[in-house]
Amino acid sequence: MSPTRERLTPEPPSWLGIPPFPEAVKEALGKAEQRKNLRHATGTIRAKRVARADEVDNWEELRTAAAQIKDRVGRHLDDYLVQAEKAMTDAGVTVHWARDGKEANRIVADIAKAKGVDEVVKIKSMATQEIDLNEALEAEGIAAWETDLAELIVQLGHDLPSHILVPAIHRNRSEVREIFRTEMGTYGTPAPAGVSDNPEELTAAARTHLRDKFLRSKMAVSGGNFIIADTGTLVIVESEGNGRMCLTLPETLVSVVGIEKLLPTIEDLEVFLKLLPRSSTGERMNPYTSFWTGVTPGDGPQDLHVILLDNGRTNVLSDPVGRAALRCIRCSACLNICPVYERVGGHAYGSMYPGPIGAILGPQLRGLEEERDRALPYASTLCGACNDVCPVRIPFTDILVHLRHKVAEYKSSKHPTVEGGIMKGAGWVMSDGKHLASVQVASRAAGKLYRGKWIGPMPVPLAGRWLQARDVEAPPTETFREWWKKNREGGQK
Amino acid sequence: MLSPGTRVALFATCINDTMKPSIPIATVKLLERLGCTVVYPSKQTCCGQIMTNTGYYKDAVPTVRNYVDSFGEFDYIVGPSGSCVGSVREQHAMLARWAKDAPLEEAATAVSGRTYELTEFLVDVLGVTDVGAYFPHRVTYHPTCHSMRITKVGDRPMQLLKAVRGIDLVDLPMADQCCGFGGTFSVKNPDVSIAMASDKARHVRSTDAEYLVAGDQACLMNIGGVLHRQRSGIKTIHLAEILASTEEEVWVA
């Protein structure tokens, strides 16, 4: 795109400008208002999730069933994909295959151009975020308008989403008012003069702003929550109804769907429609669930395209430990429970998938070449709260540790590292009690030096970082090993 | 219930052995008071969690081998740490499998199956919840993530604490949220770690407790480090130390 051409849609900042996680968090941690918003929002939704899960007697069995269904899809993905393609084609859907984001974006742009369309309305979709579809369309002279309220706030605010389900979770209503007031008019119907920060007024402004876009658009773009392999049914789940407007008004619908989103039969869907809304919004049922089995004359889109997107997914599938991440149904329960996410929000993860799922999915989809992706598996305390809430039982902590191993291997394959040296040393020390005892001579010496004192801030590597906010009790003058020798040894082993 | 004099191998853990011997000492005294014969195999070191969780599997495998060598002969291995016991149970076999060492994997699976976190051993094996302890202080309990979610000790620590005479047990707000230690997390992501530890310390202070108790020294070191920096006067104490405390000999932390 030439820099002189005027943009059609608000220009977003780039994920690429965000430094690796340990650095990126510094700015996020300093935002008091954002931390308050996040604490409040995640706290509320956590409590709702617990209440809604508790209502279901066989919740744990449902989670197991969901994990098993998803794993079965992964094991036989080739068969299910071919089956789904045939069923969709038979029902009148045009099926496309995209190896990566570039191919998928090309397909969407070509369809739009063939239709003579220069703008599309969009249903909130993580797959299209993942491949940066909006920016690719913008470069082709096609405006892509987000219609989900939170995505609209993000788009108009020249911002990046910071949560899978609630992309504008980091914004409060006065910020939303400001964005609507200054930006809406540039890209369509302006916000009413004197709009307040009352949520009802803001929603009404968004509704009016979006209305002319809905009525004008000839083409909609969506993702897809599920595709039923044996019937070829595309399933889209949403909360606001804006999605349904996109699904019913335009003549053409293009859905970009990750290849892992298949389910074998419609019966399997029952499990997920119980788990997904309860895990994500804390609702018993999501307000809008749309099923499209091909094209029906006179009802809904008359030209339906489904783009089956790989974009790294087959690589994830080839990893026996990491592949469980492909079970993810994008509910964001793991984000909402994560104490790290709660404090730093989504942007610090440097990708559209933040939180625990972002920490395991991003580096697997994109690989480990970038420092940003190598930092993500360490953006967790391994507290395991995400394991417990995940409706498809993704073993987050196991995958995080597995990816850390891959990162460590990656780094040490390049050149020896300080960390590698420390770990090698620790490995030797911990390989035998005699080695440990010899090292404890040093801790005892320090103990004698500091005798009973606490150690405060110190300008030393690694420990210095720790001691910037915490004191440490001096080591004891006698280890347990010695105590035992003095007090118990003799009669026993 | 075990027969008196059952041999119990103590897994002291490297951090307790080196930094906080009062915890394994308390564990020894407690188990002996309950009629066990405690054995300490001196070959033992560590669960290998630091290396494993930082991604250095190769450097963690020798600790698995050493753990099996140290404890292989025992029917009961008891450790006063939910985190270390969890690592033995959840990671040792995985590491042996990664090293393609089938005999080690088999041995590690067997030994980890006989490894108990202290409160599991007391409640499930010895069948006691009242260990005859006395601790006349206001105490709040932090469940610790690995005890709660990896090792799944459940409410056993609370059952034991509630039976302690003289104790004034108060609920900790947001008790099940992580304190931000996470092993090398606190070094690799110090800023987030400090934010989390500070929130945890704030919740502890809000209880007006004299002591914060937990089943994992690493978490206590993290939260206690903040509490000390803040000159809050609140001390940390391990669960084993409270349970070892008696009317005849009240434990002083």
Side-chain angles (χ1 to χ4, degrees):
Chain A
M1 190 181 71
S2 76
T4 48
R5 192 172 66 74
E6 213 168 289
R7 285 186 59 100
L8 307 165
T9 57
E11 183 173 16
S14 172
W15 290 113
L16 295 170
I18 296 173
F21 190 81
E23 278 304 304
V25 297
K26 287 179 201 275
E27 194 191 332
L29 286 168
K31 295 178 177 169
E33 181 70 34
Q34 173 176 302
R35 277 176 75 171
K36 203 181 91 188
N37 295 348
L38 286 165
R39 188 165 61 232
H40 177 74
T42 56
T44 308
I45 203 158
R46 256 179 232 165
K48 273 177 81 180
R49 190 206 68 84
V50 170
R52 291 294 168 252
D54 282 351
E55 288 175 353
V56 181
D57 290 337
N58 59 346
W59 184 255
E60 294 306 319
E61 286 81 359
L62 276 178
R63 292 175 70 211
T64 303
Q68 289 172 345
I69 293 166
K70 280 285 188 179
D71 285 354
R72 190 162 78 242
V73 168
R75 278 197 305 277
H76 307 289
L77 189 60
D78 46 354
D79 294 335
Y80 286 124
L81 281 169
V82 171
Q83 189 190 11
E85 181 188 35
K86 183 175 186 312
M88 284 192 280
T89 309
D90 289 349
V93 179
T94 309
V95 178
H96 307 259
W97 299 85
R99 265 172 299 209
D100 54 25
K102 217 173 153 187
E103 280 189 8
N105 290 338
R106 176 85 265 144
I107 296 165
V108 181
D110 286 348
I111 296 170
K113 284 180 177 169
K115 297 273 166 190
V117 160
D118 61 4
E119 66 172 356
V120 301
V121 282
K122 283 190 69 208
I123 303 182
K124 180 175 168 12
S125 138
M126 292 310 295
T128 60
Q129 295 267 10
E130 182 186 315
I131 61 176
D132 247 337
L133 174 70
N134 293 9
E135 284 304 277
L137 291 180
E138 169 81 34
E140 298 275 344
I142 301 158
W145 303 115
E146 295 292 347
T147 67
D148 172 83
L149 179 58
E151 290 286 4
L152 176 71
I153 295 166
V154 169
Q155 187 177 36
L156 288 175
H158 302 268
D159 202 355
L160 294 166
S162 64
H163 189 278
I164 290 175
L165 189 77
V166 201
I169 195 168
H170 57 296
R171 296 289 202 185
N172 64 27
R173 55 190 183 162
S174 66
E175 290 172 311
V176 173
R177 171 184 175 267
E178 199 49 32
I179 290 167
F180 280 10
R181 217 176 49 78
T182 55
E183 300 288 333
M184 268 183 173
T186 315
Y187 302 100
T189 312
V195 65
S196 80
D197 66 357
N198 177 313
E200 275 174 36
E201 277 186 47
L202 292 172
T203 318
R207 181 179 294 137
T208 313
H209 177 80
L210 289 171
R211 179 152 298 158
D212 65 334
K213 293 198 160 70
F214 283 133
L215 293 173
R216 212 169 52 215
S217 290
K218 298 273 182 280
M219 176 167 152
V221 178
S222 79
N225 294 89
F226 308 96
I227 290 177
I228 311 299
D230 79 336
T231 56
T233 306
L234 172 70
V235 183
I236 293 172
V237 166
E238 46 124 4
S239 291
E240 295 174 359
N242 292 344
R244 181 153 297 176
M245 304 281 262
C246 296
L247 288 172
T248 48
L249 290 169
E251 293 154 15
T252 303
L253 171 65
V254 182
S255 296
V256 184
V257 187
I259 52 173
E260 84 285 15
K261 294 276 182 176
L262 297 183
L263 293 180
T265 68
I266 199 90
E267 279 77 28
D268 299 309
L269 187 64
E270 179 197 347
V271 174
F272 294 91
L273 289 187
K274 272 189 188 155
L275 288 169
L276 178 54
R278 288 174 198 264
S279 300
S280 65
T281 50
E283 291 168 305
R284 295 190 177 94
M285 198 178 164
N286 51 284
Y288 298 88
T289 305
S290 304
F291 297 75
W292 293 113
T293 308
V295 173
T296 308
D299 181 24
Q302 297 301 295
D303 189 14
L304 178 51
H305 296 258
V306 169
I307 301 170
L308 294 166
L309 175 73
D310 183 337
N311 206 32
R313 285 160 174 77
T314 44
N315 293 338
V316 184
L317 192 61
S318 69
D319 183 329
V321 179
R323 68 172 61 136
L326 292 181
R327 291 179 194 161
C328 177
I329 54 173
R330 314 284 188 258
C331 73
S332 49
C334 64
L335 277 67
N336 298 329
I337 199 78
C338 179
V340 175
Y341 177 88
E342 180 189 322
R343 285 165 181 89
V344 303
H347 292 164
Y349 293 81
S351 82
M352 70 303 298
Y353 297 117
I357 188 62
I360 61 169
L361 201 53
Q364 291 201 82
L365 290 175
R366 292 187 298 269
L368 298 172
E369 279 70 37
E370 281 186 45
E371 195 190 342
R372 189 164 61 116
D373 285 310
R374 291 196 297 273
L376 286 178
Y378 296 92
S380 161
T381 64
L382 303 180
C383 82
C386 45
N387 295 348
D388 287 2
V389 296
C390 178
V392 288
R393 291 194 191 277
I394 296 173
F396 283 92
T397 46
D398 291 350
I399 299 177
L400 285 163
V401 170
H402 170 71
L403 293 177
R404 289 175 182 193
H405 174 234
K406 286 190 149 185
V407 171
E409 298 268 275
Y410 178 96
K411 286 197 287 196
S412 48
S413 76
K414 304 280 168 189
H415 49 80
T417 61
V418 174
E419 183 180 270
I422 293 172
M423 291 299 155
K424 204 171 171 188
W428 180 82
V429 170
M430 297 309 178
S431 66
D432 194 298
K434 287 198 187 94
H435 299 173
L436 178 58
S438 68
V439 172
Q440 285 172 337
V441 172
S443 76
R444 279 186 352 249
K448 279 174 187 139
L449 191 65
Y450 283 95
R451 203 173 284 273
K453 287 200 190 100
W454 285 69
I455 301 165
M458 267 202 293
V460 289
L462 298 176
R465 289 197 199 177
W466 218 84
L467 292 166
Q468 60 183 298
R470 290 165 277 231
D471 294 336
V472 166
E473 211 174 346
T477 52
E478 182 183 70
T479 62
F480 174 74
R481 201 171 286 276
E482 290 176 304
W483 178 89
W484 179 269
K485 214 180 276 173
K486 275 188 207 161
N487 294 276
R488 290 293 185 281
E489 207 110 277
Q492 297 159 10
K493 182 178 172 166
Chain B
M1 186 71 194
L2 288 180
S3 54
T6 302
R7 274 180 10 134
V8 176
L10 172 71
F11 172 36
T13 83
C14 65
I15 179 175
N16 288 332
D17 179 1
T18 311
M19 296 297 288
K20 202 70 185 172
S22 59
I23 295 167
I25 292 170
T27 310
V28 170
K29 290 185 173 174
L30 171 66
L31 290 172
E32 287 177 345
R33 196 172 82 217
L34 296 171
C36 300
T37 301
V38 181
V39 183
Y40 172 74
S42 66
K43 194 175 171 21
Q44 69 173 282
T45 55
C46 163
C47 64
Q49 197 178 167
I50 301 171
M51 290 79 91
T52 312
N53 285 354
T54 314
Y56 293 82
Y57 287 5
K58 206 175 114 216
D59 301 311
V61 173
T63 64
V64 178
R65 204 162 282 134
N66 188 58
Y67 188 87
V68 168
D69 290 348
S70 304
F71 294 107
E73 63 173 289
F74 296 96
D75 292 331
Y76 299 100
I77 304 135
V78 177
S81 165
S83 184
C84 306
V85 168
S87 169
V88 168
R89 291 209 292 234
E90 296 298 313
Q91 296 181 324
H92 277 196
M94 179 277 284
L95 288 164
R97 196 160 51 246
W98 173 80
K100 298 194 170 61
D101 188 335
L104 181 63
E105 186 185 343
E106 198 182 322
T109 306
V111 181
S112 70
R114 300 196 295 268
T115 301
Y116 299 83
E117 187 271 341
L118 176 63
T119 68
E120 290 177 330
F121 183 74
L122 296 174
V123 176
D124 300 355
V125 181
L126 293 186
V128 288
T129 47
D130 185 346
V131 296
Y134 172 76
F135 193 71
H137 298 284
R138 189 172 170 93
V139 172
T140 191
Y141 170 68
H142 172 51
T144 85
C145 303
H146 283 188
S147 285
M148 180 169 49
R149 301 198 191 91
I150 307 293
T151 308
K152 301 196 190 315
V153 300
D155 68 345
R156 294 178 188 89
M158 272 313 238
Q159 290 182 38
L160 289 155
L161 280 171
K162 278 180 183 158
V164 172
R165 273 171 279 287
I167 200 166
D168 174 14
L169 211 56
V170 282
D171 283 342
L172 177 66
M174 309 286 286
D176 57 3
Q177 208 179 57
C178 179
C179 72
F181 175 62
T184 45
F185 177 83
S186 58
V187 178
K188 283 179 174 286
N189 284 289
D191 299 283
V192 193
S193 175
I194 290 163
M196 293 167 69
S198 307
D199 283 348
K200 182 60 78 177
R202 182 164 46 84
H203 293 309
V204 173
R205 289 204 316 269
S206 77
T207 64
D208 239 347
E210 298 162 71
Y211 287 92
L212 170 70
V213 64
D216 280 289
Q217 171 57 14
C219 313
L220 288 175
M221 193 173 81
N222 183 40
I223 310 164
V226 177
L227 290 170
H228 189 271
R229 175 68 56 89
Q230 296 171 338
R231 308 294 180 252
S232 69
I234 302 169
K235 291 178 189 163
T236 59
I237 190 166
H238 192 278
L239 194 52
E241 296 177 281
I242 289 187
L243 298 180
S245 178
T246 58
E247 235 153 314
E248 293 74 39
E249 195 185 349
V250 176
W251 200 270
V252 185

